[in-house]
Amino acid sequence: MICRVVPPSILTVLLFCSFSAFAQKPTPRLTRNIADSSRAALVGSRTPQASRGQDLGPVPSQMSIPGITLVFKRSPAQEADLQQLLASQQNPSSPLYHQWLTPDTFATRFGMADEDIAAAETWLQSQGFHMESIARSRDRITFSGTAAQVQSAFGTDLHYYQVDGEQHFAPAADLTLPNELASVTAAVLHLSNFRPKPSIKVQTRPQPDYTAPSTQAHYLGPLDIATMYDLNTLSTSGFSGAGQALAVVGQSFVNTTADSSEITSFQIFSGRLTPITPVLVPGSGVEAISPGDQGESEIDLEYSSGIASNANIFLVYVGNNQNYDVFDALAFAIEENIAPVVSISYGVCESLMSPTDLDQGNSIFEQASAQGQTLVAASGDSGSTECADFTSAGLTLTQQQALSVSYPASSPYVTAVGGTQMAAGTFAAGSSPYWSSSSNAPFGSLLSYVPEVVWNEGSASFGIAAGGGGTSSHFSRPTWQSGVPGIPSGAFRLLPDIALQSSIESPGFLLCSSDPTLTGSQTSCSNGLQDSKGNYSVAGGTSFAAPVFAGFLAILNQIEQTDGQGNINPQLYGLASNSASYAAAFHDITSGSNACISGTGNCAAAGESGYAATPGYDEATGLGSVDFGNLVRAWPTTSTTSRTPTNIQLTPYSVSASPGQSLQVQITVGSFYSSSGVLNGNNVPTGTLAVSVDHTVSQAALAFSSTNASESNAIALYTFVAPATPGSHLITVTYPGDATHLPAVATTSILVGNVTATGTFTVTAANLTVASGSQGSIPISATPAAGYSGRVVWSLAATTTNGTAEVCYFISASTTNNPNAATLNIGVGSICNSTAPAERSNFRTLTSHASSTKENSSPWRKTPGLVLYASLIACGSLFTRKRRLSPSLWLAIALTVASLGLSGCGGSGGGSSSGTGNSTPPAGATTYTLTLTGTDSVNTTITASTNFTLTLK
């Protein structure tokens, strides 16, 4: 793992004074004994998503609620102090310019007083809660308890709600707390299990003919993006993110091993293998694969590493606890300052977030800015109407059609990345002024920048697919969002800030994924970048634009020899306010609109939705796309030192360990790579290193054990003793610098113990009778035993049959709260040939932002022969985050038959639910013996099966 460079201090004496001020302890705001005699409501604490659903009544009183988090808010004086600091850190004339805080310094200055944390803990314990942890930022306490304890402590029951075909739990009303505690509380998290979900559409196209350039199709990959946005000159000069770190946040386990992952398959064709360091958020549960989320993280990792190929790339993700989500991964990446650039491709319609959740999230983003971290978020794939997808419950048509934006992109401390596509006529198959006729690879043939328009590929069949943008309804307009032609008057934050290529077909992005909800296969790149049938997986959305821009920023940090830029929005708008730098560093997009296309559903009348691209800033593409080479040249230099930049390479002899095991880590400190790629300088770093584990100092002065003068580096060996607690443990190494070398810091992660599911489960399924031409359904479930808490993947096999009728199936959400329960729907005969309710391209969800379609592939996936394998494939959408018409989750099923044609991913059109559960087949009926198997999504040694009979009448 490679470090990020730390710049030298400016005006040392003044900074010592400043940092001594940072160390001043906060003033206590709570009394030692919190009185419970009078209470106040935490207004806006109930999630609006619960109000969209059907109230199914209270959860069981003894239901366990893990990871509840009480979040404190800063005092007015602390907030004013922080705002002044943030302004100074972005002011080149200030002595505090780019002088970033560490997480511990931030906590000391802006966290709660120790006395207040102790008082809150005492009150929580008096309510029966079990204390779990205090955040490093000293602004939150995590604890666990039962639903009854939650009701007693916070004054409201937890209820089940049926929303978008899923069952969730959430508070039935706003929370209440003792007056004194309420006055310092920003939010109470993890009392509901509404998770953001990615919006993904996949298109698998036929294999292009490379031997006939006139018919060669074009796709996008990292090499094309580098050409499009003027990165190649920098890359050939040795700038590819070396010495920098970038974190992608997600909410699913992803295979990141170098020898077996789809990410590796993709990286081979991108030109460089970039290791991925996984970090499981503590307390979030065991590792589990989440359909859709898995593919989202693979996209983010492939394109961030494809751009910044020498950077240290982290995947920070949560486990299977459903009241944890990607926002917890984002908070952990900030709290631990894992990387100076953090990319998130998820978002939620602002009106579906409670005010308390919006504000506490924004508070964390302020911390990121103070620490020098740049947050990059996809602006969404629903154009100007971010709430348009919520058709199945709760929101009125007027609310769905209303102009709306996506959070966290809407925060002023986040850089929102919208979408563009190539102008019509610029990407036709074959060679052209923009594309070469090379037949060596499916991507990398782009020759130059191509004129862009607003990304908008919406249609009646495809639904809304356009770059998100508009005006926040919650966050005030920041002062830096001004001075650029086109910025409208108003009091609220505008987005996006910039926009990059996001198209699905104009042209689309290639990807590799083991997530069948995205590609229809667990190995979409089994033959190069093709699947076993010779098809490519092609996708689009702002989920590509965000990690691409994050990769750009890692390279910018390398060039600037800095450990971070903080909130870059003031700098972007400052450059755009100058006509010369705007013309050089940005591509002003002046054509197109992100309006809802007529016929896509949930569209208002013509002209009532969407924003047109105009000269200067617009709410369709922001400031436009970037010429990254010119942007770098226009960017102000942050380093004025003559000392040599250094980096740290951490090489653990294993990335995992058992509790108590000793593991040696080699630490190499050397001169930073120059623009030629050769080590700069001939002097060896001197001094000692500080090593911490999970932000606790392990060795304060680790000496170098050897030096290598020819390569200008020094080496130290550190022995890591694995803690007893299973999970990811962070090792951070700090080099303070010497007379000729700049300071540096590096982080890596070691996975300790077992973090996969253990235990067992049993599988149940009833017999089913279905009439030909109809469909029926039965509940299926996995009942845990021996402490099993993982996530189950379903598969189905036909083992015996005396019939020849075509059978199709899908799995939809269960109406129970068992996360490993579902509904198995089976159709027979003509219904399997009917039109599905929506194309696979209609995958759309609560908000990460990737969009894709499936071409030349029936949504019913007919298989007349032996095998159809589609584990965990989603054919409709439990993930109906936006305007998707199908409420079902069409999950995985593997079907193996001897003489039966079986089809997966069926729809509900064309027949009635006339099947019935039974145990005795009718006389003369055709019967099939089916085997239902459940397997843990990560630990595949945990599996169970049951047989049941399908009868055709």
Side-chain angles (χ1 to χ4, degrees):
M1 310 311 164
I2 302 204
C3 77
R4 50 189 189 269
V5 176
V6 179
S9 300
I10 302 173
L11 299 177
T12 303
V13 173
L14 178 59
L15 287 179
F16 275 141
C17 297
S18 299
F19 282 104
S20 66
F22 292 172
Q24 294 175 359
K25 292 185 177 181
T27 302
R29 290 184 278 162
L30 296 174
T31 58
R32 184 169 298 276
N33 296 314
I34 297 174
D36 210 2
S37 55
S38 58
R39 301 176 71 87
L42 194 60
V43 178
S45 55
R46 184 190 188 225
T47 174
Q49 299 206 57
S51 64
R52 297 195 302 119
Q54 177 187 0
D55 190 334
L56 302 179
V59 305
S61 62
Q62 293 306 306
M63 175 177 165
S64 177
I65 312 295
I68 309 168
T69 303
L70 178 72
V71 182
F72 299 105
K73 58 186 176 184
R74 302 181 190 108
S75 69
Q78 284 178 316
E79 188 61 34
D81 187 21
L82 177 56
Q83 291 304 316
Q84 183 178 9
L85 172 66
L86 293 173
S88 298
Q89 288 175 321
Q90 294 296 342
N91 181 0
S93 63
S94 170
L96 297 180
Y97 180 61
H98 281 201
Q99 299 301 308
W100 311 120
L101 275 61
T102 67
D104 296 323
T105 304
F106 186 92
T108 300
R109 185 171 177 180
F110 299 109
M112 289 289 282
D114 292 344
E115 298 90 336
D116 291 341
I117 291 177
E121 281 189 303
T122 298
W123 181 80
L124 290 168
Q125 289 171 331
S126 73
Q127 303 299 308
F129 292 117
H130 171 71
M131 297 299 102
E132 294 181 356
S133 64
I134 298 171
R136 185 179 184 184
S137 52
R138 309 291 294 177
D139 67 345
R140 57 195 63 209
I141 300 173
T142 298
F143 52 97
S144 58
T146 65
Q149 290 166 338
V150 168
Q151 193 284 328
S152 176
F154 300 114
T156 184
D157 290 320
L158 298 180
H159 280 210
Y160 287 130
Y161 295 91
Q162 193 77 18
V163 181
D164 295 337
E166 298 178 310
Q167 188 174 124
H168 297 273
F169 67 85
D174 280 346
L175 309 180
T176 65
L177 297 114
N179 281 346
E180 189 178 13
L181 186 57
S183 68
V184 299
T185 299
V188 181
L189 306 179
H190 304 146
L191 291 179
S192 69
N193 64 343
F194 287 94
R195 262 191 171 190
K197 297 187 179 70
S199 48
I200 299 177
K201 300 176 183 176
V202 175
Q203 176 139 0
T204 299
R205 296 182 173 182
Q207 177 178 349
D209 184 357
Y210 290 114
T211 62
S214 63
T215 61
Q216 177 183 322
H218 299 300
Y219 307 99
L220 294 176
L223 300 178
D224 303 288
I225 293 300
T227 298
M228 180 79 176
Y229 295 119
D230 192 18
L231 181 61
N232 287 334
T233 301
L234 297 172
S235 298
T236 55
S237 297
F239 294 114
S240 55
Q244 293 298 321
L246 185 159
V248 164
V249 295
Q251 54 187 25
S252 175
F253 168 81
V254 172
N255 179 13
T256 58
T257 55
D259 60 347
S260 62
S261 75
E262 291 292 283
I263 296 170
T264 298
S265 298
F266 185 85
Q267 289 179 345
I268 289 172
F269 281 84
S270 299
R272 181 178 175 84
L273 292 177
T274 304
I276 308 296
T277 302
V279 180
L280 177 64
V281 174
S284 65
V286 298
E287 290 180 332
I289 290 174
S290 178
D293 299 308
Q294 179 189 22
E296 177 58 64
S297 290
E298 287 171 322
I299 289 171
D300 293 348
L301 294 169
E302 287 166 2
Y303 276 84
S304 60
S305 67
I307 297 298
S309 58
N310 271 309
N312 183 17
I313 309 293
F314 290 88
L315 171 63
V316 185
Y317 64 105
V318 295
N320 71 317
N321 286 354
Q322 288 300 290
N323 55 340
Y324 276 72
D325 58 38
V326 67
F327 295 147
D328 295 292
L330 179 58
F332 188 74
I334 294 169
E335 180 181 318
E336 296 298 331
N337 199 12
I338 288 176
V341 180
V342 183
S343 178
I344 178 170
S345 292
Y346 289 75
V348 178
C349 167
E350 267 191 343
S351 64
L352 291 178
M353 295 283 290
S354 70
T356 60
D357 282 348
L358 290 170
D359 289 337
Q360 71 84 24
N362 198 56
S363 178
I364 297 174
F365 305 156
E366 290 176 326
Q367 178 180 346
S369 296
Q371 294 173 172
Q373 292 177 287
T374 304
L375 307 181
V376 179
S379 70
D381 295 350
S382 292
S384 60
T385 51
E386 183 67 16
C387 297
D389 277 339
F390 294 93
T391 60
S392 58
L395 294 184
T396 66
L397 182 61
T398 299
Q399 290 173 318
Q400 294 164 26
Q401 294 175 347
L403 297 175
S404 54
V405 296
S406 176
Y407 169 89
S410 60
S411 166
Y413 298 97
V414 173
T415 299
V417 184
T420 67
Q421 65 186 66
M422 294 183 182
T426 62
F427 52 90
S431 60
S432 73
Y434 298 114
W435 301 88
S436 75
S437 58
S438 170
S439 60
N440 295 327
F443 57 62
S445 57
L446 188 65
L447 298 173
S448 68
Y449 173 76
V450 180
E452 296 169 277
V453 300
V454 179
W455 173 47
N456 195 336
E457 294 177 286
S459 67
S461 61
F462 204 79
I464 300 175
T471 305
S472 171
S473 60
H474 185 81
F475 295 110
S476 299
R477 180 82 56 90
T479 57
W480 45 258
Q481 199 162 41
S482 61
V484 179
I487 292 181
S489 61
F492 291 93
R493 155 86 157 128
L494 304 171
L495 59 153
D497 297 304
I498 63 160
L500 299 176
Q501 279 288 312
S502 300
S503 56
I504 304 163
E505 298 179 294
S506 305
F509 290 83
L510 288 175
L511 62 101
C512 293
S513 177
S514 51
D515 187 345
T517 65
L518 189 64
T519 64
S521 169
Q522 287 190 315
T523 53
S524 70
C525 292
S526 58
N527 180 25
L529 291 179
Q530 299 168 325
D531 64 16
S532 59
K533 297 180 181 179
N535 292 328
Y536 292 106
S537 294
V538 184
T542 53
S543 278
F544 289 86
V548 163
F549 190 64
F552 286 167
L553 294 180
I555 295 172
L556 175 64
N557 286 342
Q558 177 193 3
I559 294 170
E560 292 294 316
Q561 301 176 10
T562 181
D563 64 334
Q565 302 283 341
N567 183 2
I568 64 167
N569 292 341
Q571 190 61 58
L572 290 174
Y573 284 84
L575 291 173
S577 65
N578 179 288
S579 59
S581 57
Y582 188 25
F586 297 87
H587 303 291
D588 188 10
I589 311 301
T590 59
S591 179
S593 166
N594 66 354
C596 181
I597 303 297
S598 178
T600 57
N602 297 335
C603 285
E608 292 183 10
S609 75
Y611 301 96
T614 59
Y617 181 89
D618 55 70
E619 289 161 275
T621 60
L623 299 171
S625 65
V626 298
D627 182 308
F628 187 64
N630 286 339
L631 184 69
V632 167
R633 286 182 277 274
W635 206 267
T637 300
T638 59
S639 176
T640 59
T641 181
S642 60
R643 287 194 288 171
T644 302
T646 54
N647 66 0
I648 302 173
Q649 185 173 31
L650 302 181
T651 310
Y653 284 86
S654 176
V655 295
S656 61
S658 301
Q661 179 182 348
S662 295
L663 183 69
Q664 194 171 73
V665 179
Q666 178 175 301
I667 306 170
T668 305
V669 181
S671 298
F672 204 80
Y673 284 92
S674 69
S675 60
S676 64
V678 179
L679 287 170
N680 184 16
N682 56 10
N683 59 322
V684 175
T686 61
T688 60
L689 304 169
V691 182
S692 64
V693 176
D694 297 332
H695 59 80
T696 298
V697 175
S698 174
Q699 285 192 240
L702 177 66
F704 291 113
S705 57
S706 63
T707 60
N708 187 333
S710 64
E711 295 188 7
S712 300
N713 65 37
I715 296 173
L717 298 177
Y718 169 71
T719 300
F720 168 77
V721 179
T725 305
S728 294
H729 293 271
L730 299 177
I731 302 173
T732 301
V733 177
T734 301
Y735 174 59
D738 60 20
T740 57
H741 293 84
L742 286 174
V745 62
T747 298
T748 192
S749 179
I750 304 294
L751 190 62
V752 174
N754 179 43
V755 293
T756 62
T758 58
T760 61
F761 56 80
T762 56
V763 173
T764 58
N767 295 333
L768 178 66
T769 298
V770 180
S772 181
S774 300
Q775 69 177 26
S777 63
I778 54 172
I780 59 175
S781 64
T783 302
Y788 178 77
S789 61
R791 191 169 299 142
V792 172
V793 177
W794 297 104
S795 62
L796 187 68
T799 53
T800 63
T801 175
N802 64 354
T804 59
E806 184 174 18
V807 176
C808 54
Y809 64 91
F810 65 87
I811 294 181
S812 59
S814 169
T815 57
T816 73
N817 194 53
N818 179 359
N820 289 317
T823 300
L824 174 61
N825 304 268
I826 296 179
V828 179
S830 60
I831 191 172
C832 296
N833 297 306
S834 63
T835 303
E839 296 178 340
R840 178 179 298 282
S841 62
N842 279 347
F843 273 86
R844 225 17 156 179
T845 59
L846 188 66
T847 57
S848 117
H849 309 295
S851 304
S852 21
T853 59
K854 190 83 172 175
E855 185 180 278
N856 292 344
S857 177
S858 165
W860 292 82
R861 300 183 60 82
K862 299 177 187 177
T863 302
L866 283 179
V867 178
L868 170 64
Y869 187 72
S871 177
L872 271 177
I873 194 165
C875 308
S877 185
L878 170 63
F879 309 138
T880 50
R881 123 166 143 66
K882 299 181 185 169
R883 83 280 171 260
R884 295 310 157 198
L885 302 179
S886 171
S888 303
L889 170 61
W890 310 57
L891 278 181
I893 289 195
L895 289 171
T896 307
V897 297
S899 60
L900 172 65
L902 293 176
S903 302
C905 302
S908 59
S912 62
S913 298
S914 58
T916 59
N918 65 29
S919 57
T920 304
T926 300
T927 60
Y928 303 79
T929 300
L930 304 182
T931 300
L932 177 70
T933 301
T935 305
D936 182 76
S937 61
V938 177
N939 184 357
T940 57
T941 63
I942 304 176
T943 186
S945 300
T946 190
N947 292 337
F948 68 96
T949 300
L950 170 66
T951 301
L952 276 59
K953 62 179 180 179

